[in-house]
Amino acid sequence: MVRLMMGAKGSGKTKHLIEMINNAAKDEPGNVVCIEANRNMTYDIHYHIRLIDAQEYKLDNYDSFRGFISGLYAGNYDISHVFVDNLCKIVGRDVDKDTEAFLNWLDVFGERNGIKFTVTISADPSAATDGIQKYL
């Protein structure tokens, strides 16, 4: 399952995401992971959340991001929710057909492995293709 939050920079996506992450720390039965473009959320999220700074792993394209997520799960089958803050900033791209393909892959991967994904993208929702719209 993929849930997508899109909006212009400064529209409150990250603030809402932080609330969702902290609620997941209380409610989720498994481990919760948050992947962000840098370490801005360090003091805002619950200490039980595994916070990952994507810059440390050079996740600069969707293929490396797929491998990274697969590796996270291979190392910990107890992951129940993964939050990704500002996906397009992490991979260094604008919203495009590759973004849609990645979200589709996340959806299939999540369904197969029982992982919920919540992703934010700083972009106008009107830039989303029909395939991306289904996750909004």
Side-chain angles (χ1 to χ4, degrees), residues 46-107:
H46 193 276
Y47 68 93
H48 282 136
I49 306 301
R50 173 70 169 110
L51 182 61
I52 297 171
D53 180 356
Q55 289 179 337
E56 292 180 17
Y57 299 96
K58 299 192 182 3
L59 302 175
D60 56 1
N61 61 61
Y62 290 116
D63 287 335
S64 63
F65 214 128
R66 278 185 197 90
F68 187 78
I69 298 239
S70 298
L72 276 176
Y73 185 69
N76 182 355
Y77 293 117
D78 293 330
I79 293 173
S80 61
H81 205 134
V82 176
F83 294 90
V84 180
D85 188 34
N86 212 339
L87 174 65
C88 291
K89 182 177 181 181
I90 291 172
V91 296
R93 298 185 57 171
D94 291 329
V95 176
D96 59 14
K97 63 179 177 44
D98 293 334
T99 307
E100 180 181 339
F102 179 75
L103 291 173
N104 289 335
W105 177 84
L106 273 184
D107 193 41

